[in-house]
């Protein structure tokens, strides 16, 4: 029986992003080409200001592009309207941020279920089951009724990961996911991401930490807006 070819989830072709301030134009991303397929675990390394976070925001549909073509899960994003982009983003992408981005006056469970607010077809039973499954996956179910201020940084990041996976998205994007964590908690978060990848999740991480970047089987380098594949 012929093995199926993994689907290309992220396909960037000569993507550029320019920012204009007054009479000055700044090229944050220069003609980037990137293909990420189902099951990949990839990192983009680069120093501060290299353009890696801007590129991730383009991939995550949080930034528009100035030139080029970007197909996400076979959808040509440059041809979609804002509402269509929002639906595509919510369905296909889970975000993990350096600063966790948890809402302080909501419980852990309420934070985790935030991406479900667009799904009006879920019953309360299905809603609860998804939250329970996501928190169990990251080992935080016992903290479901706690508030972010009652958690350590490592625990908050695990909650953020639960929020990222609750919709069972095709892709998990992580922007410096260990940037605010100590070495022990960084190792725990990376172990969790590797386990999610082994379970079928496609993961793309940007980081300035070479030790973190080197843990990925697929690695890219970002320098002054230019993206290049590293041979590892």
């Amino acid at each position: 029986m012929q093995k199926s070819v993994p689907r290309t989830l992220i396909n960037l072709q000569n993507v550029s992003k320019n920012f204009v301030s007054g009479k000055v134009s700044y090229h944050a991303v220069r003609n980037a080409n990137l293909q990420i397929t189902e099951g990949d675990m990839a990192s983009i390394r680069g120093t501060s200001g290299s353009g890696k976070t801007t590129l991730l925001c383009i991939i995550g549909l949080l930034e528009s592009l100035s030139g080029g073509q970007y197909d996400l899960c076979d959808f040509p994003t440059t041809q979609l309207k804002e509402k269509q982009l929002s639906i595509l983003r919510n369905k296909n992408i889970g975000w993990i941020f350096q600063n966790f981005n948890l809402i302080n006056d909501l419980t852990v469970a309420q934070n985790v279920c935030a991406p479900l607010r667009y799904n009006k077809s879920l019953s309360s039973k299905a809603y609860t089951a998804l939250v329970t499954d996501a928190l169990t996956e990251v080992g935080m179910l016992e903290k479901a009724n706690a508030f972010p201020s009652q958690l350590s940084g490592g625990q908050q990041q695990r909650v953020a990961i639960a929020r990222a996976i609750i919709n069972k998205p095709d892709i998990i994007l992580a922007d410096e996911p260990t940037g605010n964590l100590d070495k022990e908690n960084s190792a725990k978060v990376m172990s969790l991401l590797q386990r999610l990848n082994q379970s079928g999740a496609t993961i793309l991480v940007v980081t300035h930490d070479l030790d973190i970047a080197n843990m990925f089987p697929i690695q890219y380098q970002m320098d002054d807006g230019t993206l290049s594949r590293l041979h590892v």
Side-chain angles (χ1 to χ4, degrees), residues 100 102-111 140 142-159:
F100 319 133
L102 300 179
I103 301 172
N104 290 326
D105 57 355
L106 297 182
T107 66
V108 163
Q110 290 168 333
N111 269 282
M140 290 295 291
E142 75 281 1
K143 297 291 186 179
N145 295 317
F147 289 89
S149 61
Q150 298 172 308
L151 306 177
S152 68
Q155 289 174 323
Q156 289 188 59
Q157 191 60 295
R158 284 155 63 192
V159 171

Side-chain angles (χ1 to χ4, degrees), residues 40-184:
D40 281 351
M41 188 168 185
S43 66
I44 301 174
R45 67 178 65 174
T47 58
S48 177
S50 63
K52 62 187 187 300
T53 293
T54 299
L55 181 62
L56 195 71
C57 287
I58 290 172
I59 293 169
L61 305 179
L62 298 180
E63 282 280 3
S64 61
L65 47 88
S66 303
Q69 178 69 32
Y70 173 31
D71 295 337
L72 173 64
C73 300
D74 298 323
F75 288 93
T77 63
T78 52
Q79 299 177 19
L80 301 180
K81 296 180 179 179
E82 187 56 43
K83 184 176 181 179
Q84 293 172 311
L85 291 173
S86 295
I87 294 171
L88 186 63
R89 180 171 54 239
N90 183 256
K91 179 181 178 182
N92 295 284
I93 293 174
W95 268 98
I96 304 169
F97 300 94
Q98 177 178 352
N99 295 322
F100 319 133
N101 285 8
L102 300 179
I103 301 172
N104 290 326
D105 57 355
L106 297 182
T107 66
V108 163
Q110 290 168 333
N111 269 282
V112 169
C113 71
L116 300 178
R117 67 183 182 273
Y118 294 103
N119 192 337
K120 306 300 183 183
S121 65
L122 282 177
S123 66
S124 58
K125 185 177 180 180
Y127 204 90
T128 301
L130 286 170
V131 173
T132 298
D133 288 347
L135 286 174
T136 300
E137 183 72 35
V138 302
M140 290 295 291
L141 183 59
E142 75 281 1
K143 297 291 186 179
N145 295 317
F147 289 89
S149 61
Q150 298 172 308
L151 306 177
S152 68
Q155 289 174 323
Q156 289 188 59
Q157 191 60 295
R158 284 155 63 192
V159 171
I161 293 172
R163 179 183 59 195
I165 66 175
I166 193 168
N167 264 348
K168 305 186 188 307
D170 289 309
I171 306 156
I172 296 173
L173 301 180
D175 185 10
E176 301 280 5
T178 62
N180 282 339
L181 303 179
D182 58 28
K183 192 170 183 178
E184 179 181 357

